[in-house]
Amino acid sequence: MNFKNFREYLAWLYYQYLLITGIYVLEPWEKSIFNSILFSVIAMVIYTSYVFVPIHVRLALEFFSGIFSSQPESTMALMN
């Protein structure tokens, strides 16, 4: 892909973003505030997903493996 075509494609994507969100009617300072808030929220969601989702997945796997598996070895050792 040519660099000029890539720049045109990015410009087209940005234009689509402006049209879909409706911020093409805003003043430049309003656009910057809107974009700042939007990208801050997106960054916080990505960070939260990166930090907390693996922990919750591990806890869920431990919970369900405890439910669907047989008794843990430590309990079996106590019964002997």
Side-chain angles (χ1 to χ4, degrees), residues 68-80:
F68 295 118
S69 65
S70 62
Q71 292 182 344
E73 291 182 18
S74 61
T75 307
M76 294 298 289
L78 291 174
M79 293 175 68
N80 290 333

Side-chain angles (χ1 to χ4, degrees):
M1 180 178 256
N2 192 340
F3 183 70
K4 183 178 178 184
N5 291 339
F6 183 69
R7 282 186 37 199
E8 290 175 358
Y9 179 69
L10 288 179
W12 179 78
L13 284 177
Y14 181 69
Y15 182 66
Q16 291 297 314
Y17 163 72
L18 292 177
L19 290 176
I20 290 171
T21 57
I23 61 175
Y24 64 93
V25 296
L26 299 177
E27 298 284 329
W29 65 273
E30 293 171 327
K31 284 182 187 180
S32 64
I33 290 174
F34 179 83
N35 287 331
S36 300
I37 292 171
L38 178 68
F39 292 130
S40 296
V41 168
I42 289 172
M44 286 187 277
V45 166
I46 291 171
Y47 173 76
T48 303
S49 298
Y50 177 75
V51 170
F52 293 111
V53 168
I55 296 169
H56 285 75
V57 168
R58 183 182 54 84
L59 290 174
L61 288 174
E62 288 177 6
F63 175 76
F64 287 116
S65 67
I67 289 176
F68 295 118
S69 65
S70 62
Q71 292 182 344
E73 291 182 18
S74 61
T75 307
M76 294 298 289
L78 291 174
M79 293 175 68
N80 290 333

